[in-house]
């Protein structure tokens, strides 16, 4: 199976991979099987200690697996010796939460450094490093030292350094977790550019669902060393199967009112409150007008949020339906018939507490 | 009749100059040989410790024990204690030549701890970055970690030079001479404070120069 990768083959393949740390006998990675395709941006999301950092370090063998097969670029990394590993690693770039730049070297020297390892000439190294600094947008900082840079600039250096040896894969370990929201966006935009312009496969580890929402094509949710859910980002957002996934989605969407919010809403909106999830086909928004037409029900939006995931809209709104029971029932059934998922929260006089919804917003609240 | 005088006698000029040279000689050789040996030992300690680049428990335990064995011995006693070894290796245990071996041994032990400490204090993320790039473990150790730890290493070596100066003063016991011995023999023991303070002043001046230069150098390589 070595060196005979075909274009359609996954660039990274995990098969029944496990890894236990001797200290505390913690199963960091538990029987994981997964394929990552060439050219995609794949995200691993999970809370601290879920095993995602360990899993991604198995790709470049910074950690060794106890069992299972890990194929990267057509090679089984568990069978490579140190020389083979070092050659493979030069084809896999990596960036870190704390940037891990060489503080004793200038920005230019940092970026040029990996090229020393592949024995490029001094002129070549400098030329390539300057090109990369241009690519990441900090050409003017070439002679600065890392300590003189802001967090976003440091990560740009990290990215340039990771790209120096022309890798086919870039591993991003919580690469934006130490950055403010605006800088996070800039760095994510840059990572997307790395993917689209250079065709590099990206593996992104994060605990922030916004990051997944913003750049990932596919995502795997990790908990206790296991992948509990995975799929195309939009599908996972639209139809989460696991509670932990729903909790992560809530942090990115902020579209569902918490029980406390609902209690406040009821003071001003005594009518029937319903939570309606929007689907990307636009049916829900049409149905809103169609759903009320002729029923005499007055519908207004009192809460909600709609965001883009993979370029498609997703989210939910909470409506207040004012009208008699039969009429509002009719509106709810029409919304449901149009393909929307509807949760009835009842009126101020007769509140309904949907258990699933309560659980979701409650768990989110307690985890933050 | 004993003459008690607090004054500089011109014939001391040559003695003082020779003592100065002896001090430089002892400190220079010890720093070079002991400092280099200590660097190797310190790198070994750092690399073989648990989760180190070349984790190796037997080597670490043995070396750790050796360093802890030698370091607490007061240098004056150590000078005497290593006489058999000294005679076997250097052919003598007196004079500058006799002082060098114990000084080098003691210096390498102290250096090993300084080096180990400086390296332990470097950010482990930098090792990971180097490994992720495909750098070999030796490369990480010598080409990445040492440059990263250069400033604390320089300051550590400056600290060391001053310790060596201290040792060289004690080496007067075996007739190695040097500024310390000069201050004791011609100053303290002859009740000639003037001469004693001259010897002390020369040592203090040396320390000041070394420390100032070391600070300057460390600042130049530190970019944090």
């Amino acid at each position: 199976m070595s060196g005979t990768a075909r274009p359609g083959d996954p660039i990274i393949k995990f098969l029944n991979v496990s890894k236990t740390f001797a200290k505390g006998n913690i199963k960091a990675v538990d029987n994981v099987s997964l394929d990552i395709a060439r050219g995609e941006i794949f995200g691993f999301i999970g809370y601290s200690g879920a095993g995602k950092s360990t899993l991604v370090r198995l790709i470049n063998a910074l950690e060794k697996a106890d069992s299972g097969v890990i194929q990267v670029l057509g090679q089984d990394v568990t069978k490579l010796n140190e020389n083979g590993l070092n050659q493979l690693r030069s084809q896999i770039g990596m960036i870190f939460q704390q940037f891990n730049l060489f503080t004793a070297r200038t920005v230019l020297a940092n970026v040029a450094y990996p090229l020393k390892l592949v024995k490029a000439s001094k002129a070549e190294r400098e030329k390539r490093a300057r090109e990369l600094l241009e690519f990441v947008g900090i050409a003017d900082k070439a002679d600065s030292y890392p300590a003189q840079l802001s967090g976003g600039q440091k990560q740009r250096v990290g990215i340039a350094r990771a790209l120096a040896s022309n890798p086919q894969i870039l591993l991003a370990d919580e690469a934006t977790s130490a950055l403010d929201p605006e800088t996070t966006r800039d760095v994510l935009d840059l990572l997307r550019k790395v993917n689209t312009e250079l065709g590099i496969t990206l593996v992104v580890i994060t605990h922030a669902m916004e990051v997944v929402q913003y750049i990932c094509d596919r995502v795997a949710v990790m908990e206790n060393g296991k992948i509990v859910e995975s799929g195309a980002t939009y599908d996972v957002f639209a139809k989460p199967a696991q509670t932990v996934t729903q909790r992560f989605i809530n942090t990115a969407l902020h579209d569902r009112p918490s029980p406390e919010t609902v209690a406040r809403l009821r003071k001003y909106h005594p009518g029937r409150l319903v939570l309606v999830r929007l689907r990307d086909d636009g049916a829900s928004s049409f149905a809103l007008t169609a759903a009320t037409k002729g029923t005499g029900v007055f519908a207004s939006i009192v809460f909600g949020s709609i965001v883009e995931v993979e370029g498609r809209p997703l989210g939910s709104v909470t409506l207040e339906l004012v009208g008699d029971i039969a009429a509002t029932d009719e509106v709810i059934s029409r919304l449901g018939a149009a393909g929307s998922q509807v949760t009835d929260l009842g009126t101020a006089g007769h509140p309904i507490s949907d258990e699933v919804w309560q659980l979701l917003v409650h768990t989110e609240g307690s985890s933050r | 009749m004993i003459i008690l005088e607090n004054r500089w006698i011109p014939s001391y000029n040559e003695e003082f100059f020779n003592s100065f040279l002896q001090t430089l000689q002892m400190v220079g050789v010890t720093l070079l040989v002991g400092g280099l040996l200590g660097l190797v030992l310190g790198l070994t300690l750092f690399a073989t410790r648990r989760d180190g680049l070349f984790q190796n428990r037997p080597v670490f335990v043995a070396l750790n024990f050796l360093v802890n064995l030698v370091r607490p011995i007061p240098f004056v006693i150590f000078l005497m204690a290593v006489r058999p070894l000294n005679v076997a290796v250097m052919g003598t245990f007196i004079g500058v030549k006799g002082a060098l071996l114990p000084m080098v041994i003691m210096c390498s032990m102290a250096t090993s701890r300084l080096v180990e400490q400086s390296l332990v204090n470097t950010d482990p993320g930098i090792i990971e970055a180097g490994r992720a790039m495909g750098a070999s473990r030796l490369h990480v150790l010598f080409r990445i970690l040492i440059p990263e730890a250069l400033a604390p290493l320089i300051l550590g070596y400056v600290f060391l030079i001053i310790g060596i100066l201290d040792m060289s003063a004690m080496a007067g016991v075996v007739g190695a001479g040097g500024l310390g011995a000069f201050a004791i023999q011609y100053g303290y023991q002859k009740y000639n404070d003037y001469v004693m303070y001259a010897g002390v002043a020369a040592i203090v001046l040396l320390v000041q120069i070394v420390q100032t230069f070391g600070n300057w150098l460390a600042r130049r390589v530190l970019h944090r």
Side-chain angles (χ1 to χ4, degrees):
Chain A
M1 293 290 283
S2 66
T4 53
R6 290 182 300 275
D9 285 348
I11 194 164
I12 298 166
K13 187 179 183 70
F14 290 97
L15 195 65
N16 305 323
V17 176
S18 291
K19 162 82 183 173
T20 304
F21 284 110
K23 261 187 243 170
N25 200 25
I26 300 156
K27 211 156 201 191
V29 174
D30 192 356
N31 197 24
V32 165
S33 295
L34 183 85
D35 286 358
I36 296 175
R38 189 174 287 273
E40 74 174 328
I41 304 182
F42 194 97
F44 286 101
I45 188 163
Y47 293 109
S48 307
K52 52 196 194 303
S53 274
T54 307
L55 186 65
V56 91
R57 277 166 175 70
L58 293 171
I59 295 171
N60 58 358
L62 288 177
E63 299 283 359
K64 308 254 185 245
D66 299 333
S67 60
V69 178
I70 305 159
Q71 269 181 31
V72 179
L73 297 165
Q75 289 177 291
D76 185 346
V77 299
T78 57
K79 295 200 167 58
L80 288 175
N81 61 14
E82 179 149 348
N83 265 340
L85 271 181
N86 286 339
Q87 285 200 349
L88 181 73
R89 283 172 180 151
S90 71
Q91 296 178 67
I92 306 172
M94 189 166 189
I95 56 175
F96 307 87
Q97 178 172 8
Q98 295 305 331
F99 322 120
N100 295 351
L101 301 178
F102 303 138
T103 62
R105 296 174 204 272
T106 62
V107 164
L108 190 72
N110 262 279
V111 177
Y113 200 81
L115 296 166
K116 261 190 186 173
L117 299 172
V118 294
K119 312 255 187 296
S121 74
K122 193 166 188 297
E124 248 177 283
R125 294 200 302 260
E126 182 169 337
K127 180 170 172 282
R128 174 99 180 112
R130 289 202 187 278
E131 283 170 8
L132 284 165
L133 287 176
E134 194 73 47
F135 180 80
V136 301
I138 45 166
D140 54 323
K141 299 287 180 196
D143 298 322
S144 303
Y145 283 90
Q148 298 165 295
L149 305 182
S150 69
Q153 290 169 332
K154 282 181 192 167
Q155 197 57 288
R156 284 170 191 275
V157 179
I159 292 169
R161 185 176 70 172
L163 296 177
S165 56
N166 269 321
Q168 301 188 49
I169 301 169
L170 179 64
L171 310 176
D173 181 12
E174 297 280 9
T176 56
S177 299
L179 306 175
D180 62 62
E182 198 179 329
T183 315
T184 294
R185 280 285 151 118
D186 293 343
V187 169
L188 291 178
D189 285 337
L190 176 59
L191 286 176
R192 206 203 311 258
K193 185 170 137 188
V194 167
N195 175 257
T196 53
E197 288 186 18
L198 307 177
I200 293 173
T201 307
L202 248 64
V203 179
V204 175
I205 305 175
T206 184
H207 62 262
M209 203 62 179
E210 287 94 341
V211 171
V212 173
Q213 174 202 335
Y214 198 62
I215 62 167
C216 292
D217 301 318
R218 288 201 301 150
V219 62
V221 183
M222 287 195 75
E223 197 177 29
N224 300 327
K226 289 191 174 73
I227 290 178
V228 294
E229 187 162 2
S230 69
T233 304
Y234 185 86
D235 296 340
V236 171
F237 265 83
K239 278 188 180 161
Q242 303 288 329
T243 315
V244 60
T245 312
Q246 183 64 61
R247 279 159 64 182
F248 275 119
I249 291 169
N250 288 349
T251 63
L253 286 184
H254 306 293
D255 60 330
R256 294 160 183 236
S258 66
E260 294 77 17
T261 307
V262 170
R264 271 196 302 279
L265 287 173
R266 285 196 169 118
K267 283 186 196 160
Y268 307 103
H269 304 286
R272 193 168 185 179
L273 296 182
V274 291
L275 188 68
V276 186
R277 306 235 2 213
L278 295 188
R279 292 300 305 269
D280 63 318
D281 50 14
S284 301
S285 49
F286 264 148
L288 199 52
T289 315
T292 51
K293 200 171 185 184
T295 60
V297 170
F298 183 78
S300 57
I301 296 169
V302 296
F303 198 89
S305 168
I306 297 165
V307 297
E308 273 199 325
V309 177
E310 287 189 88
R312 296 149 78 183
L314 189 80
S316 67
V317 293
T318 301
L319 305 175
E320 183 198 22
L321 305 177
V322 180
D324 60 46
I325 291 279
T328 52
D329 273 348
E330 171 64 16
V331 173
I332 290 171
S333 79
R334 283 192 202 171
L335 285 169
S340 294
Q341 198 186 319
V342 184
T343 308
D344 187 0
L345 302 176
T347 61
H350 297 279
I352 300 171
S353 189
D354 186 285
E355 275 175 25
V356 177
W357 162 74
Q358 284 261 343
L359 178 75
L360 294 177
V361 284
H362 265 306
T363 45
E364 182 209 353
S366 60
S367 72
R368 285 169 73 99
Chain B
M1 197 173 87
I2 300 166
I3 305 166
L4 296 174
E5 282 180 305
N6 265 332
R7 67 184 183 94
W8 188 266
I9 297 160
S11 66
Y12 288 170
N13 280 351
E14 201 191 339
E15 197 56 45
F16 181 74
F17 184 68
N18 285 339
S19 299
F20 184 73
L21 286 186
Q22 283 161 345
T23 293
L24 286 188
Q25 199 186 351
M26 283 189 283
V27 172
V29 172
T30 306
L31 180 67
L32 211 70
V33 182
L36 216 62
L37 214 61
L39 182 67
V40 174
L41 293 179
L43 284 171
T44 310
L45 276 172
F46 172 78
T48 57
R49 72 208 316 268
R50 190 188 307 159
D51 296 330
L53 283 164
F54 295 88
Q55 180 176 331
N56 186 324
R57 193 158 163 75
V59 172
F60 178 80
V61 168
L63 195 55
N64 194 47
F65 178 78
L66 178 73
V67 174
N68 285 347
L69 179 80
V70 175
R71 288 239 301 143
I73 304 174
F75 186 64
V76 182
I77 297 167
F78 187 69
L79 264 172
M80 298 297 145
V82 292
R83 261 185 311 179
L85 180 71
N86 212 348
V87 173
V89 177
M90 304 292 290
T92 180
F93 64 92
I94 56 168
V96 169
K97 206 177 164 192
L100 284 178
L101 185 74
M103 284 180 74
V104 164
I105 293 175
M106 199 50 110
C107 168
S108 60
M109 297 293 147
T111 313
S112 69
R113 286 290 181 222
L114 284 169
V115 170
E116 183 192 21
Q117 231 170 63
S118 302
L119 293 176
V120 167
N121 282 336
T122 53
D123 178 4
I126 286 180
I127 300 179
E128 191 169 46
R131 300 288 286 150
M133 269 173 209
S136 72
R137 291 178 291 171
L138 273 179
H139 189 106
V140 170
L141 197 58
F142 286 100
R143 306 289 296 279
I144 295 178
L145 274 173
I146 291 185
E148 280 299 311
L150 201 55
L153 279 174
I154 288 171
L155 292 175
Y157 272 97
V158 168
F159 183 81
L160 199 73
I161 292 173
I162 290 154
I164 300 171
L165 265 170
D166 193 28
M167 280 199 283
S168 78
M170 280 184 254
V173 173
V174 292
L179 286 168
F182 175 82
I184 291 172
Q185 282 169 25
Y186 295 86
Y188 177 71
Q189 287 170 353
K190 290 191 171 184
Y191 302 103
N192 192 338
D193 287 353
Y194 194 92
V195 171
M196 186 180 76
Y197 287 129
V200 171
I203 294 174
V204 170
L205 194 69
L206 263 180
V207 168
Q208 295 291 354
I209 292 170
V210 168
Q211 188 71 55
T212 306
F213 176 69
N215 287 350
W216 172 80
L217 201 61
R219 220 184 350 260
R220 279 210 53 177
V221 301
L222 187 69
H223 298 287
R224 266 180 240 168

